[in-house]
């Protein structure tokens, strides 16, 4: 029943957050390096012209370190901007100085950043507290990405620390997964259920 799944997801969110907060700074840095190396090496990233990223904060991967590499590679980068009603939009970002602080604490594009439609974006990097082998995602519960991804037809990718990577996560009908889950040691998803060889 949905109520049971909802309760299970709430408990998993608390457990995943506690696990992530328990990682040392060095553990997070080592994890970030491995995740970013694999992400930048993905052929889907190489083929994408416009990408939606997120500005990692707190226990999330420090994704802002990806920005310069992708800009140097000639990529156009967007970041999400929160809207009323738990909605979001993607706005083009050409420099981090154009970001502003949202009341929730994260950095997001300002009104001066051009808005892009989902159809204009080739690949979206999707955040989450935990992911599973089939691309299942455990978000923070706001539903922002589920609503935006419902209208997105490009490639979806997640960066997941091995410490919060599960064989299977509970899902409700409206929960949308991702095409590819990148961990420190492998690549997973509906078509990638076998981990890559170390160093691949």
């Amino acid at each position: 029943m949905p109520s049971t799944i909802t309760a299970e997801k709430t408990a998993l969110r608390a457990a995943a957050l506690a696990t992530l907060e328990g990682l040392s700074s060095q553990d997070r840095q080592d994890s970030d390096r491995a995740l970013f190396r694999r992400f930048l090496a993905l052929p889907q990233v190489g083929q994408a012209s416009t990408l939606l990223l997120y500005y990692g904060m707190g226990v999330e991967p420090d994704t802002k370190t990806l920005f310069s590499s992708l800009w140097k590679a000639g990529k156009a980068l967007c970041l999400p901007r929160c809207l009323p009603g738990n909605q979001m939009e993607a706005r083009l970002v050409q420099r981090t100085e154009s970001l502003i602080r949202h009341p929730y604490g994260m950095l997001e594009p300002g009104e001066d950043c051009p808005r892009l439609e989902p159809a204009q974006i080739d690949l979206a990097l999707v955040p989450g507290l935990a992911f599973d082998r089939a691309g299942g995602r455990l978000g923070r519960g706001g539903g922002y990405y589920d609503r935006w991804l419902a209208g997105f037809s490009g490639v979806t990718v997640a960066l997941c620390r091995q410490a919060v990577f599960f064989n299977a996560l509970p899902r409700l009908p409206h929960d949308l997964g991702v095409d590819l889950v990148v961990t420190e040691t492998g690549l997973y998803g509906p078509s990638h259920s076998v981990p890559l060889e170390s160093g691949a």
Side-chain angles (χ1 to χ4, degrees):
M1 294 178 60
S3 59
T4 302
I5 293 177
T6 299
E8 187 177 356
K9 288 171 64 176
T10 299
L12 281 170
R13 282 191 189 96
L17 188 57
T19 297
L20 291 169
E21 289 176 340
L23 297 176
S24 69
S25 176
Q26 187 62 55
D27 287 340
R28 291 180 194 173
Q29 290 175 22
D30 292 344
S31 171
D32 283 0
R33 279 193 292 271
L35 291 172
F36 298 160
R37 182 175 66 250
R38 289 186 177 279
F39 175 75
L40 292 172
L42 289 175
Q44 292 88 346
V45 172
Q47 295 160 8
S49 297
T50 304
L51 299 87
L52 173 70
L53 269 63
Y54 61 89
Y55 194 102
M57 299 181 68
V59 298
E60 296 177 327
D62 188 15
T63 54
K64 67 178 179 293
T65 61
L66 289 170
F67 295 1
S68 59
S69 295
L70 292 168
W71 276 325
K72 287 177 183 177
K75 310 295 185 182
L77 302 184
C78 303
L79 289 177
R81 177 179 172 84
C82 292
L83 301 173
N86 288 36
Q87 303 284 336
M88 68 177 233
E89 62 185 8
R91 288 187 176 252
L92 188 67
V93 174
Q94 296 176 310
R95 55 191 182 91
T96 55
E97 289 78 12
S98 62
L99 301 177
I100 59 176
R101 185 78 62 181
H102 187 274
Y104 289 164
M106 68 279 198
L107 291 170
E108 64 176 19
E111 287 283 356
D112 56 329
C113 297
R115 180 176 178 270
L116 295 188
E117 297 296 330
Q120 296 175 275
I121 300 169
D122 304 306
L123 183 148
L125 184 62
V126 182
L129 286 173
F131 293 86
D132 67 24
R133 287 176 173 268
R137 168 179 172 267
L138 182 68
R140 292 182 178 267
Y144 289 90
Y145 274 86
D146 285 324
R147 292 180 179 87
W148 188 86
L149 288 172
F152 180 66
S153 59
V155 178
T156 51
V157 183
L159 303 176
C160 181
R161 303 195 195 282
Q162 197 71 40
V164 287
F165 181 64
F166 292 81
N167 284 328
L169 289 169
R171 282 206 209 190
L172 290 169
H174 65 267
D175 292 333
L176 297 179
V178 296
D179 299 317
L180 298 169
V181 179
V182 178
T183 72
E184 295 93 331
T185 59
L187 180 65
Y188 301 83
S191 303
H192 299 79
S193 59
V194 179
L196 298 172
E197 293 295 330
S198 178

